[in-house]
Amino acid sequence: MSEPRSLVLLRHGRTAHNAASRIQGQVDVDLDDTGHDQAARAAVAVAALEPDVLWCSDLGRTRSTAAYVAKETGLEPTYDARLREFFLGEREGLTHAEFAELAPEEFARFRLGDFDAVAGGEATAAVASRMSDVLSELLAATPAGGTAVAVSHGAAIRTAVTALLGWPLSALSALHGLDNCGWVVLDEHKVDPDGPGTLRLRAYNRTADA
């Protein structure tokens, strides 16, 4: 009998780009002091879930966040570029105010969660596909009854949740953006203990302060 597993999706801590409302995408920015504090506190809470496997985006802000989880759990992170944030093309590095002035209609759609509107950006369907693939592999690498942690990015995690639950991508706008170091918990549900399972949402945007 195969016991169901759990998947924890943890967003990275705050960066200077986050604090300045600057578009990050795949720009490699590390945590600021607040982000390090958030990551340290979140790691204690995540460690209490007794994870068995730790995977992480290969960008600096997620690697730094995962390092705190590794310290609390003794797990060695596995880095995978498929866990990166959306690539946001020529808008990366702009502040929200600069983006709004440059392309007001595009920015308005972006703020509503329509990342497909971003010039030169990565398609939502492509992010959903790569995140689903890597997280399915992560679950498969997790022992029966165990818990896996993936440290990733806000928009990528929100897209992954939608895809993994089998919702249409149009449902993205119904999910609130994750706070820095907010996490999601998805549990496997099995009708047949020896068959494949589906995922159910147990928690969304849980934080160490909540």
Side-chain angles (χ1 to χ4, degrees):
M1 179 180 294
S2 177
E3 292 296 320
R5 297 159 294 185
S6 294
L7 178 60
V8 179
L9 308 178
L10 173 65
R11 187 189 178 197
H12 61 81
R14 198 183 80 169
T15 69
H17 272 37
N18 291 144
S21 295
R22 191 175 296 278
I23 307 296
Q24 281 185 125
Q26 295 188 8
V27 175
D28 204 0
V29 184
D30 207 346
L31 304 181
D32 63 11
D33 289 345
T34 295
H36 281 285
D37 180 63
Q38 290 169 333
R41 289 184 287 112
V44 174
V46 170
L49 301 175
E50 300 183 345
D52 302 277
V53 188
L54 174 61
W55 286 16
C56 178
S57 156
D58 63 342
L59 295 178
R61 57 193 182 271
T62 44
R63 292 172 72 105
S64 292
T65 302
Y68 286 98
V69 179
K71 179 181 177 182
E72 294 293 334
T73 61
L75 297 172
E76 186 70 26
T78 295
Y79 305 109
D80 196 309
R82 291 174 295 175
L83 289 167
R84 286 187 176 195
E85 183 60 287
F86 275 74
F87 173 65
L88 294 173
E90 59 196 72
R91 307 312 184 201
E92 291 188 347
L94 296 177
T95 65
H96 284 200
E98 290 166 343
F99 189 173
E101 183 177 0
L102 179 67
E105 293 184 7
E106 180 186 323
F107 178 72
R109 289 175 60 188
F110 167 76
R111 288 293 291 159
L112 289 173
D114 181 6
F115 283 29
D116 288 337
V118 177
E122 188 176 10
T124 301
V127 176
S129 177
R130 64 172 166 84
M131 289 290 287
S132 294
D133 286 348
V134 68
L135 293 173
S136 295
E137 290 174 21
L138 172 55
L139 267 180
T142 304
T147 296
V149 175
V151 184
S152 185
H153 307 262
I157 291 174
R158 187 169 61 168
T159 301
V161 169
T162 303
L164 291 171
L165 293 176
W167 298 350
L169 292 178
S170 58
L172 269 168
S173 60
L175 288 175
H176 192 281
L178 287 173
D179 294 330
N180 287 116
C181 278
W183 65 87
V184 176
V185 182
L186 296 162
D187 291 333
E188 252 186 338
H189 173 69
K190 292 192 173 188
V191 176
D192 177 358
D194 297 314
T198 58
L199 289 171
R200 290 181 170 179
L201 182 64
R202 174 153 56 99
Y204 189 84
N205 202 29
R206 190 163 287 177
T207 67
D209 298 324

